[in-house]
Amino acid sequence: MTRFAATFAKPQTALVAFITAGDGDTAANLDALVAGGADVIELGMPFTDPMADGPAIQAANLRSLAKGTTTADIFAMAAAFRARHAGVPLVLMGYANPMTVRGADWFAGECAKAGVDGIICVDIPSEEDAELGPSLRAAGVELIRLATPTTDPARLPAVLSGAGGFLYYVSVAGITGLQQAAQASIEEAVARLKGATALPVAVGFGVRTPEQAAAIAKVADGVVVGSAFIDIIAEHGDAAAPHVEAFTRSLADAIHGAKEIAA
Amino acid sequence: METTVTASQTLPNSLRTGPDDRGHFGQFGGRYVAETLMPLILDLEREYRAARHDNEFRAEFDRLLKHYVGRPSPLWLAERLTEHLRASASEGFGAKIYLKREDLNHTGAHKINNCIGQILLAKRMGKSKIIAETGAGQHGVATATVAALFGLPCTIFMGAVDVARQQPNVFRMKLLGAEVVAVESGAKTLKDAMNEALRHWVANVHDTFYIIGTVAGPHPYPELVRDFQSVIGDEAKAQILEAEGRLPDMLIAPVGGGSNAIGLFHPFLDDESVEIVGVEAAGEGLDGKHAASLAGGRPGILHGNKTYLLQDDDGQITEAHSISAGLDYPGIGPEHSWLHDIGRVRYEPVTDAEALASFQTLTKLEGIIPALESAHAIAAAERIAPTLGKDKIIIVNCSGRGDKDIFTVADALGVKL
Ligand SMILES: Cc1ncc(COP(=O)(O)O)c(C=O)c1O
């Protein structure tokens, strides 16, 4: 069973936590996420031009790059994480250019070697799958696709074709970290997506508090939280780990308990 | 000349049929955007296909170009520049130089051609708000102008560095009723303005039309901007045939994203006797800071398309530099990348210093103050014309007027205004 399958086979909803690689003490923060109860880790690959990100994650990208974070550093972080946490799914999330610059086969091979389970590439839609998808699938790395409020039923089959790991529902048409979607629209979308795929559905964008996370956790298989972690790291710098762990625990408690409460 | 054409194209004997139906020019172009934007991009493509075959759309476009923009723009025989270059050339050398006067368009550059086309598309699609990115401010001014003409609210994203160095255009945009957002992220220049415009668009796709200012961005933008700008080359062809009874031997145009250049080049791509030269901004020189994506970059993915980019080994985008804000971009339109790779167009670098010198030369000899962008093409013409026979003809795209640049030029010359 893959790490994704094992994680999403649990009855409780998964907490999917995002931080940017190289922003703050990444190894300590990753351990804090796991200790606090995060079920899936998304590690952001910094990029000079993060077009889909709001101010918080943009700033995290620039902080990381200013410290000189390289792609090699990110794979080293990933491999070290895998050595410390054998069972926690690890996803690299980022933009097409850093992922494809040395060739898709090279990137997919490095992912496999480092124990990376899946990839989210913001700016490769299904139309351009050839750029990265075939190499990832050949290397046994899952390509996690995004569905959005603008993904109409006609497009959905194309989005799902070749998708793996879980389906990431971007709940607002917008950039990371800003607005929050209405709960009703999330419920409607998740129901629609689950009707179209056997993949677990995780919901993200704009989720900042345990209360919001718990509400979404009642209907989704995973809840993604990103900018709220980035804000903590921005505030506490290299000493953020205890704060990250405490916040993770508050989210994990809310998310993991949500379905029992609902039932 | 090499005329290899990729298998995906339908008419193997023409270089003018691209892109393919997925928006690719060879390996370049495409639609590298977030899923949120994909449905809208597909919508735009459908609407553009319909508009292209709609005589009413075409007639309205032509009417506005004629009576509002002031087209056709003249093709001016630059006799004094030609003579000046012949004076220092060997006996029998010194090609005849014509200038395509896009500087005489309403708002002072070629940018308005594209804006007219795109705002008609926006209207057709029922979009009620307009956004655009701008570098030098020329595209911002042109967009704010058509937004005023059509009575649509308009927001222009401009890097904070460019806001500081292009104050007259910032004020013009505000007078025209646009909101100008100074973009503080990243390097605070054109690429960051484009990032910010894309971020705004993603959040407002339902009612907002993004008027991209050059032949970049996701498909179908590189195609539709090219088509709207091709009026430059179509006119130039008719004008040179009338003036000289034959095609030119060479075309020269400056390349930022590449819209004025492709507009001039595209109608001539299949005319094998016409040599075509695009001019990239070499800034301080190719060993220093520059904006020459073809000379100094590698293929990569940014702003929705695959093309040559200035980048490091990890695929991080590096900052461009040019004295000309309109050329200060680390990428280039995907069709240019393709024309470069197949060898149909030759791209040459011109430095800040060379452009600055040609800015003054053209002003003194022809009484035409060119945009610093256009001065790059003039500089290339000054370099090439003396190497060609007197019987040769060059058309240079004078893509815009230089009034916006007088502060930059004064500063570079050490003059206090
Ligand atoms: C006068 C002029 N020429 C050229 C350019 C470069 O753009 P493009 O390469 O798209 O023509 C600009 C851009 O602002 C411009 O203002």
Side-chain angles (χ1 to χ4, degrees):
Chain A
M1 204 193 273
T2 66
R3 292 186 195 97
F4 284 126
T7 299
F8 286 105
K10 294 179 194 164
Q12 65 200 31
T13 302
L15 167 58
V16 182
F18 172 94
I19 62 172
T20 299
D23 177 30
D25 184 345
T26 300
N29 291 334
L30 288 172
D31 289 348
L33 290 172
V34 175
D39 302 285
V40 177
I41 304 294
E42 283 180 16
L43 189 57
M45 294 179 66
F47 183 44
T48 40
D49 295 82
M51 286 154 309
D53 285 301
I57 297 181
Q58 280 176 47
N61 277 260
L62 292 184
R63 283 193 300 268
S64 173
L65 291 173
K67 276 175 36 188
T69 306
T70 65
T71 300
D73 295 337
I74 296 166
F75 280 122
M77 289 174 205
F81 175 85
R82 179 53 67 230
R84 296 196 303 280
H85 304 283
V88 182
L90 178 64
V91 173
L92 291 186
M93 178 164 187
Y95 291 82
N97 204 46
M99 291 185 183
T100 57
V101 68
R102 292 181 177 89
D105 285 343
W106 180 87
F107 182 73
E110 291 300 300
C111 286
K113 266 198 286 182
V116 171
D117 301 281
I119 291 300
I120 300 173
C121 183
V122 175
D123 51 348
I124 298 189
S126 52
E127 278 77 0
E128 302 291 352
D129 183 68
E131 203 61 50
L132 194 56
S135 299
L136 290 176
R137 289 187 285 273
V141 179
E142 309 275 10
L143 175 64
I144 294 154
R145 285 267 174 69
L146 307 166
T148 71
T150 60
T151 309
D152 53 45
R155 273 187 68 66
L156 194 53
V159 169
L160 292 171
S161 158
F166 59 90
L167 183 64
Y168 185 152
Y169 178 62
V170 172
S171 62
V172 288
I175 52 178
T176 53
L178 299 180
Q179 324 94 302
Q180 186 211 336
Q183 179 67 17
S185 78
I186 292 175
E187 289 179 9
E188 182 276 325
V190 171
R192 188 162 54 82
L193 294 172
K194 288 188 75 70
T197 179
L199 289 172
V201 176
V203 176
F205 271 49
V207 187
R208 307 191 66 94
T209 66
E211 293 71 33
Q212 283 171 274
I216 296 169
K218 283 181 188 162
V219 295
D221 303 304
V223 180
V224 189
V225 178
S227 296
F229 286 113
I230 299 296
D231 289 346
I232 292 172
I233 294 166
E235 187 184 339
H236 299 284
D238 286 344
H243 305 278
V244 168
E245 182 174 336
F247 181 58
T248 307
R249 186 158 291 119
S250 70
L251 288 168
D253 287 349
I255 290 170
H256 293 157
K259 279 194 176 134
E260 284 83 342
I261 296 163
Chain B
M1 187 198 25
E2 199 179 35
T3 51
T4 325
V5 174
T6 57
S8 56
Q9 288 184 316
T10 44
L11 294 173
N13 292 321
S14 174
L15 298 177
R16 302 188 57 208
T17 57
D20 66 20
D21 55 11
R22 293 166 51 244
H24 290 97
F25 301 91
Q27 66 157 316
F28 302 105
R31 296 178 277 220
Y32 298 89
V33 294
E35 172 61 23
T36 313
L37 288 179
M38 234 6 257
L40 191 79
I41 300 270
L42 294 171
D43 243 20
L44 174 61
E45 188 186 345
R46 265 191 301 276
E47 204 62 51
Y48 178 58
R49 297 260 169 272
R52 239 188 3 186
H53 297 108
D54 177 349
N55 290 335
E56 246 173 79
F57 183 88
R58 188 78 225 178
E60 182 62 357
F61 180 62
D62 291 345
R63 183 185 75 85
L64 286 162
L65 286 189
K66 179 164 184 219
H67 297 288
Y68 188 69
V69 175
R71 302 204 70 91
S73 70
L75 185 69
W76 171 248
L77 172 58
E79 274 181 286
R80 298 216 335 124
L81 177 64
T82 301
E83 286 311 320
H84 166 75
L85 295 174
R86 280 177 182 170
S88 56
S90 311
E91 183 61 29
F93 282 82
K96 206 188 235 187
I97 299 175
Y98 281 88
L99 302 177
K100 181 61 175 158
R101 299 289 310 276
E102 292 300 300
D103 58 307
L104 291 177
N105 293 339
H106 179 42
T107 73
H110 67 292
K111 297 285 180 188
I112 190 95
N113 304 329
N114 167 48
C115 291
I116 295 278
Q118 288 200 49
I119 202 147
L120 288 174
L121 278 178
K123 202 175 100 176
R124 214 184 141 94
M125 293 177 77
K127 303 290 181 187
S128 57
K129 293 181 184 142
I130 299 297
I131 60 168
E133 86 294 340
T134 196
Q138 287 307 98
H139 175 59
V141 166
T143 302
T145 298
V146 297
L149 179 66
F150 282 76
L152 295 177
C154 168
T155 304
I156 305 292
F157 296 90
M158 188 171 188
V161 167
D162 291 335
V163 168
R165 64 177 166 175
Q166 302 284 342
Q167 274 300 319
N169 272 346
V170 173
F171 186 56
R172 261 179 214 121
M173 288 184 264
K174 289 184 178 165
L175 283 173
L176 288 160
E179 184 196 351
V180 180
V181 176
V183 176
E184 299 284 352
S185 63
K188 305 177 192 184
T189 59
L190 179 54
K191 88 176 165 71
D192 309 287
M194 194 146 181
N195 289 334
E196 208 55 36
L198 285 165
R199 289 182 188 115
H200 180 93
W201 197 30
V202 154
N204 296 278
V205 278
H206 55 287
D207 65 356
T208 299
F209 191 98
Y210 181 11
I211 298 188
I212 293 184
T214 189
V215 283
H219 176 64
Y221 280 102
E223 179 184 357
L224 67 87
V225 175
R226 175 199 72 198
D227 291 349
F228 292 139
Q229 290 292 2
S230 289
V231 65
I232 301 172
D234 286 334
E235 281 178 11
K237 202 173 207 177
Q239 288 166 321
I240 199 74
L241 287 174
E242 190 183 324
E244 298 278 351
R246 69 175 185 89
L247 291 175
D249 298 286
M250 183 180 281
L251 307 173
I252 303 179
V255 179
S259 67
N260 84 86
I262 206 78
L264 176 65
F265 298 169
H266 198 256
F268 291 92
L269 285 179
D270 290 334
D271 298 311
E272 294 192 26
S273 67
V274 181
E275 242 189 285
I276 307 184
V277 177
V279 181
E280 292 195 287
E284 299 167 350
L286 292 180
D287 301 332
K289 291 195 288 177
H290 64 82
S293 326
L294 292 175
R298 286 177 296 135
I301 296 166
L302 181 71
H303 292 154
N305 68 91
K306 184 189 275 192
T307 194
Y308 277 82
L309 299 172
L310 299 180
Q311 55 181 317
D312 69 13
D313 290 344
D314 273 349
Q316 305 296 348
I317 307 306
T318 48
E319 282 168 34
H321 163 79
S322 170
I323 191 172
S324 140
L327 304 182
D328 199 348
Y329 180 68
I332 182 169
E335 193 166 11
H336 286 287
S337 288
W338 176 67
L339 290 167
H340 166 76
D341 271 16
I342 65 168
R344 177 62 183 97
V345 178
R346 185 170 95 231
Y347 294 83
E348 288 196 8
V350 160
T351 63
D352 287 352
E354 292 170 306
L356 204 53
S358 291
F359 178 95
Q360 298 168 79
T361 304
L362 192 74
T363 301
K364 288 198 178 113
L365 290 178
E366 296 288 339
I368 295 169
I369 303 178
L372 276 171
E373 293 80 11
S374 316
H376 283 72
I378 306 293
E382 288 191 54
R383 193 193 287 160
I384 296 168
T387 69
L388 301 177
K390 275 185 150 167
D391 57 334
K392 301 293 186 199
I393 298 168
I394 300 177
I395 297 179
V396 180
N397 206 3
C398 188
S399 55
R401 65 174 180 234
D403 307 48
K404 69 181 172 62
D405 293 316
I406 53 171
F407 300 101
T408 306
V409 171
D411 193 46
L413 298 177
V415 176
K416 257 201 120 59
L417 292 183

